[in-house]
């Protein structure tokens, strides 16, 4: 989102053009899910922007509800859909206090043991009735038995409007499987505290948050909702970004989030974030979630989730501001900076190849 003085005026919000949702194939009623609620002051920052973590949590709630309902649509063993992965999510347009968020979820592909759900978020100005797209996201779920959390059940198949849609879904499924394996291989980093760090260095802005997982954070299985985890990750990433530039900051995008292991009720989780790369007007923050199981069966700490968040800095008028460049000192920091630069240039090239929205053609 971007800076906004309050409920959007009839002209729109912060000079962002309205986005247009492309047509999708028809789906059965049981494959669709809708939810809406008004954005309150405790959902937003001081500038009136709704926190990215709030939106991510609403997206996951819709995805979990849609996939769980579908996986229980046929007679058999009951289950709850567990979040396995969230594809890259861009924040297309701001959402502000007083607007109504409309969240819709649709199942677009099923494999034998997984469900792909595509979620769209629209912001409605209740004074004018105008709506605009703020987010689109793709999430992957697996159905876990209510009787045995380690048992993955089979997913009822969906009907496709055409063979090409099924083939495209299979391609997305194989791509996300490969990316999850790659992420696991590079997931051993640890963030250590730095004393008396200089401004604009990695150590100066890195931050951690410790959270005890309670019943309200969990599913029927007693494991943390993916949306709760993403909200906490966004909070830490936001603190890192704010410490670095000391201005109003907002979430611009989130790279694919992979949920490596489940987090059980009673665990203490540590969410750690550090800046890895800065361009002229954006900041990339790497966030880890480590879990310490203390209840029932004490075990060693393990890495549960990891992701990269991108933030931008805004002026009081909601315009992008230049970002102070990150000062890298160690060889590891230099390597992570170059890796982040590669991701930044790759996404920049992809955006340039994408066709403009339908309303701008």
């Amino acid at each position: 989102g971007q800076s906004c003085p309050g409920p959007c005026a009839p002209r729109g919000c912060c000079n962002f053009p309205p986005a247009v949702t492309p047509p999708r194939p028809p789906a059965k009623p049981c494959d669709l899910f809708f939810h809406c609620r008004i954005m309150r002051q405790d959902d937003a920052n001081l500038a009136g922007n709704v926190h990215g973590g709030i939106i991510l949590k609403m997206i996951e709630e819709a995805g979990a509800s849609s996939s769980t309902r579908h996986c229980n649509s046929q007679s058999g063993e009951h289950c709850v859909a567990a979040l396995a992965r969230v594809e890259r999510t861009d924040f297309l347009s701001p959402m502000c206090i007083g607007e109504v968020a409309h969240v819709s979820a649709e199942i677009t592909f099923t494999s034998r043991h997984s469900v792909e759900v595509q979620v769209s978020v629209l912001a409605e100005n209740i004074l004018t009735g105008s709506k605009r797209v703020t987010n689109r996201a793709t999430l992957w779920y697996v159905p876990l038995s209510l009787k045995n959390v380690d048992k993955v059940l089979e997913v009822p198949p969906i009907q496709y409007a055409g063979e090409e849609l099924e083939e495209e879904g299979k391609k997305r499924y194989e791509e996300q499987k490969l990316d999850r394996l790659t992420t696991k291989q590079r997931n051993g980093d640890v963030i250590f505290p730095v004393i008396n760090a200089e401004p604009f260095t990695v150590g100066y802005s890195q931050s951690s948050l410790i959270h005890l997982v309670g019943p309200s954070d969990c599913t029927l299985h007693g494991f943390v909702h993916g949306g709760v985890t993403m909200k906490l990750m966004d909070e830490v990433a936001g603190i890192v970004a704010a410490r670095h530039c000391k201005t109003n900051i907002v979430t611009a995008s989130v790279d694919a989030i992979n949920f490596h292991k489940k987090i059980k009720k009673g665990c203490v989780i540590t969410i750690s974030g550090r800046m890895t790369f800065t361009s002229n007007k954006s900041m990339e923050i790497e966030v880890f979630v480590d879990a310490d199981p203390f209840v029932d069966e004490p075990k060693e700490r393990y890495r549960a989730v990891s992701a990269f968040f991108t933030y931008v800095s805004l002026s009081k008028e909601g315009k992008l501001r230049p970002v102070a460049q990150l000062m890298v000192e160690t060889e590891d920091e230099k390597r992570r900076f170059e890796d982040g630069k590669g991701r930044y240039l790759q996404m920049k090239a992809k955006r340039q190849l994408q066709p403009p929205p339908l309303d701008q053609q």
Side-chain angles (χ1 to χ4, degrees):
Q2 304 287 333
S3 178
C4 181
C8 302
R11 61 176 173 79
C13 182
C14 308
N15 300 320
F16 274 72
V20 177
T21 305
R24 283 182 177 173
K28 298 182 296 181
C30 66
D31 294 336
L32 298 172
F33 179 87
F34 299 94
H35 170 69
C36 66
R37 78 172 179 88
I38 194 166
M39 296 292 98
R40 305 181 300 268
Q41 289 183 336
D42 57 353
D43 295 321
N45 63 16
L46 295 176
N49 316 124
V50 175
H51 293 294
I54 296 291
I55 297 174
L56 290 171
K57 189 170 184 287
M58 290 192 297
I59 288 173
E60 199 279 325
E61 288 171 349
S65 300
S66 176
S67 53
T68 297
R69 183 166 62 184
H70 175 78
C71 292
N72 288 280
S73 61
Q74 296 183 359
S75 59
E77 193 172 344
H78 289 301
C79 64
V80 170
L83 183 62
R85 175 181 169 87
V86 182
E87 302 290 359
R88 178 185 171 87
T89 303
D90 290 305
F91 289 71
L92 307 174
S93 179
M95 190 178 297
C96 309
I97 296 171
E99 293 187 311
V100 175
H102 295 262
V103 186
S104 61
E106 178 183 346
I107 294 173
T108 49
F109 178 77
T110 57
S111 68
R112 185 180 179 186
H113 293 120
S114 64
V115 182
E116 180 193 55
V117 185
Q118 294 191 15
V119 181
S120 294
V121 183
L122 288 82
E124 178 189 3
N125 183 325
I126 57 178
L127 302 179
T128 66
S130 62
K131 296 180 181 178
R132 66 188 185 283
V133 176
T134 63
N135 296 79
R136 296 191 189 96
T138 301
L139 304 90
W140 293 88
Y141 290 85
V142 292
L144 303 180
S145 167
L146 280 176
K147 296 179 180 178
N148 179 4
V149 70
D150 295 320
K151 181 181 179 182
V152 179
L153 302 182
E154 292 194 10
V155 176
I158 63 171
Q159 295 179 349
Y160 301 93
E163 291 184 3
E164 67 279 2
L165 294 176
E166 184 175 7
E167 290 303 315
E168 289 173 1
K170 288 180 180 178
K171 182 179 178 180
R172 294 192 300 271
Y173 170 72
E174 293 299 333
E175 288 175 348
Q176 64 89 23
K177 277 182 64 178
L178 180 62
D179 188 73
R180 290 187 69 196
L181 290 173
T182 304
T183 305
K184 283 185 178 180
Q185 293 174 358
R186 60 171 173 80
N187 207 29
D189 279 358
V190 178
I191 298 177
F192 295 103
V194 178
I195 308 299
N196 298 326
E198 292 292 326
F200 309 122
T201 62
V202 175
Y204 182 81
S205 59
Q206 69 180 32
S207 304
S208 295
L209 182 153
I210 298 175
H211 179 77
L212 174 63
V213 176
S216 62
D217 299 323
C218 297
T219 66
L220 295 174
H221 280 120
F223 293 94
V224 177
H225 285 287
V228 171
T229 306
M230 290 192 290
K231 181 176 180 293
L232 293 170
M233 294 173 76
D234 181 74
E235 288 180 10
V236 170
I239 293 171
V240 173
R243 280 181 167 174
H244 180 79
C245 60
K246 293 182 172 59
T247 60
N248 179 37
I249 48 87
V250 291
T251 314
S253 66
V254 184
D255 271 8
I257 302 178
N258 292 293
F259 292 76
H260 309 294
K261 294 184 180 180
K262 299 185 291 290
I263 303 173
K264 195 173 183 179
K265 179 175 64 179
C267 283
V268 172
I269 56 175
T270 303
I271 306 96
S272 305
R274 66 184 171 201
M275 194 162 295
T276 51
F277 169 75
T278 54
S279 67
N280 289 334
K281 294 183 179 179
S282 67
M283 299 163 277
E284 182 190 73
I285 296 109
E286 185 176 24
V287 183
F288 301 134
V289 180
D290 295 316
D292 287 299
F294 290 130
V295 179
D296 297 333
E297 300 178 7
K299 298 178 182 178
E300 292 184 359
R301 171 184 286 208
Y302 61 89
R303 177 66 43 82
V305 192
S306 60
F308 290 98
F309 287 70
T310 299
Y311 272 73
V312 292
S313 173
L314 301 177
S315 67
K316 292 181 179 180
E317 294 75 30
K319 304 296 183 181
L320 291 175
R321 294 180 49 157
V323 172
Q325 291 304 290
L326 181 66
M327 295 170 55
V328 291
E329 300 171 310
T330 68
E331 290 302 318
D332 284 341
E333 291 174 358
K334 293 176 183 177
R335 173 183 54 80
R336 289 194 293 267
F337 188 93
E338 291 301 317
D339 290 345
K341 184 177 180 180
R343 287 186 291 268
Y344 167 77
L345 294 175
Q346 186 178 31
M347 288 310 305
K348 186 176 181 180
K350 280 186 177 181
R351 285 195 297 268
Q352 291 174 345
L353 292 174
Q354 289 176 348
L358 295 179
D359 60 320
Q360 297 181 24
Q361 293 182 358

